[in-house]
Amino acid sequence: MFRRTATSTKGRSFLHVIKLVSPFVMVVVLQATIAGFSLEVMSSVRAYVAGEAMWSRSQKNAVYFLNLYLHSGEPSQFTHYQASLAVPIGDEFARWALERDPVDVEAARVGFLQGSNHPDDVPGLIWLFRYFNRVSFLQEAIHEWAATDPMLLELSVFGEVIRSELAHGPIEDRDRLRLLSSRLSELNTQFTVHAKRFSTVLGEGSRAIKVTLTCINIVAAATLILLLIWHTRRLMLQRQAFEDALHAEKERLAWQASHDWLTGLSNRRAFEARLQNVLDTTAAGSLGLILLDLDQFKSVNDTCGHLAGDRLLCQVSRLLQQDRGPHDLVARLGGDEFGLILPQCSPSTTVDIAERLRRSLELFTFAWDDRCFAVTASIGVACIADGNTTLEDAMRRADAACYRAKEKGRNRVQVDNGRPDVVVVATRPREAVAARG
């Protein structure tokens, strides 16, 4: 049972920790995802820029070597021309493979490799084309790229034409030679125009992507900071609420430790602590100590039950608290016994207060269901003027006076001030009423 409870507590603690850190984990994962996405996009765009440079250089080399072959007829020059032309043609094949439905990823990979792109860049080239070809800058760049297809075809055919003419020997016709050379120059110029546009568009797109992704990363970082602030504030508020609840619980427990749960009065422990404090701080003057015992409580309890007895105690408690001074203390010492501490109270005033309490109780009628009970009390008073009096002595004197009041017929005040024969007695004018008509 204990192990199961411990395991359950650990499980709840773990879930609580997960709940606390999950927002941060989510934002960090989001931030890492955005950062990874940004790097992948920028890397892929950079790969296209590098590929365009390789494409443009190879195209120019193809025109250059074909022009050399046109004038020299050297087969090695034609071989260089073919090798150079294979680079833009490979890129062209890769684009065609990506434009198919469905996409032929393997053919695109082979084409980009033929285009002399780095093998590590090929996946990024394919990914960017497949998923972002509708983005404006990339769409425009692809348009410029596709515009060179007819020129590549013409350059390829042009090379075959020149080779077929040179198969019969050098071209002797100067005009024909100038025409072919001029057309090669025109093709090179057209290639250059589209290559520059392609490069310009990619550059502008790259800068736009950089700004966009930077803003996204800034927003994500700001979100993380705000979440951190919010979560920290939430934790601080929870901690404050916990501390307030703990403080309230401590106060409640302290109150329970020093008060009677039924009447809300101070209990014996608090009463004795207060009495000791008053005795310690009272160097001069007089202290009034009153102990009060209800005379008919057992009768009410036995006749009507404990609920009626509790109700009587609560009503008597409220009656005892009436007209008390700010420094006076009323306590329930246990059962039907109550005590009052009256600091800086003269003996005559203490006795007068005790007599007023006796008369208030005598005039009080407790009703329960269809029955009424007259309530009286035996009251013992100790007037303490000696600062050396101990707690035990003060309580003993007041308790002895209360006991003598009971012995002498109840419903009276007995004063113990060093002269035990001084007694204030009130004759009871009425008896308990058995029932209400």
Side-chain angles (χ1 to χ4, degrees), residues 30-42:
L30 177 62
Q31 183 78 43
T33 302
I34 293 174
F37 174 79
S38 303
L39 291 174
E40 184 65 24
V41 170
M42 295 304 297

Side-chain angles (χ1 to χ4, degrees), residues 334-387:
D336 60 347
E337 185 181 5
F338 295 86
L340 285 84
I341 298 175
L342 309 174
Q344 298 297 319
C345 190
S346 65
S348 59
T349 304
T350 302
V351 173
D352 184 56
I353 291 173
E355 175 59 20
R356 286 203 305 269
L357 288 175
R358 186 200 66 77
R359 289 187 60 80
S360 297
L361 288 170
E362 185 181 41
L363 296 174
F364 170 71
T365 299
F366 176 68
W368 184 263
D369 291 337
D370 58 347
R371 307 191 66 177
C372 292
F373 298 86
V375 180
T376 60
S378 300
I379 302 175
V381 176
C383 299
I384 301 167
D386 184 3

Side-chain angles (χ1 to χ4, degrees), residues 205-380:
S206 177
R207 287 187 290 273
I209 288 175
K210 180 181 178 181
V211 172
T212 302
L213 294 178
T214 300
C215 291
I216 292 175
N217 278 277
I218 291 173
V219 169
T223 302
L224 179 60
I225 293 172
L226 291 175
L227 181 61
L228 179 63
I229 294 173
W230 171 81
H231 206 58
T232 302
R233 182 176 179 275
R234 179 167 169 265
L235 290 177
M236 292 178 64
L237 291 176
Q238 286 180 343
R239 179 180 177 181
Q240 185 62 45
F242 174 77
E243 290 178 351
D244 292 344
L246 183 61
H247 180 69
E249 182 64 14
K250 287 181 178 179
E251 289 186 341
R252 185 183 69 83
L253 293 175
W255 189 91
Q256 287 181 343
S258 61
H259 287 75
D260 174 54
W261 67 271
L262 176 63
T263 62
L265 297 177
S266 296
N267 58 17
R268 177 177 287 274
R269 177 183 177 184
F271 182 84
E272 292 180 350
R274 174 68 182 281
L275 180 58
Q276 183 65 63
N277 180 263
V278 174
L279 290 172
D280 291 341
T281 56
T282 302
S286 182
L287 165 65
L289 179 60
I290 298 175
L291 294 186
L292 181 151
D293 236 3
L294 297 180
D295 296 328
Q296 283 78 30
F297 180 72
K298 188 175 185 303
S299 174
V300 173
N301 233 12
D302 293 344
T303 304
C304 301
H306 293 290
L307 189 60
D310 291 346
R311 178 72 61 82
L312 172 60
L313 292 174
C314 290
Q315 293 182 6
V316 170
S317 298
R318 288 194 290 271
L319 188 148
L320 295 177
Q321 293 180 86
Q322 292 176 5
D323 302 324
R324 295 284 68 79
H327 301 294
D328 298 345
L329 178 68
V330 182
R332 181 189 176 200
L333 303 182
D336 60 347
E337 185 181 5
F338 295 86
L340 285 84
I341 298 175
L342 309 174
Q344 298 297 319
C345 190
S346 65
S348 59
T349 304
T350 302
V351 173
D352 184 56
I353 291 173
E355 175 59 20
R356 286 203 305 269
L357 288 175
R358 186 200 66 77
R359 289 187 60 80
S360 297
L361 288 170
E362 185 181 41
L363 296 174
F364 170 71
T365 299
F366 176 68
W368 184 263
D369 291 337
D370 58 347
R371 307 191 66 177
C372 292
F373 298 86
V375 180
T376 60
S378 300
I379 302 175

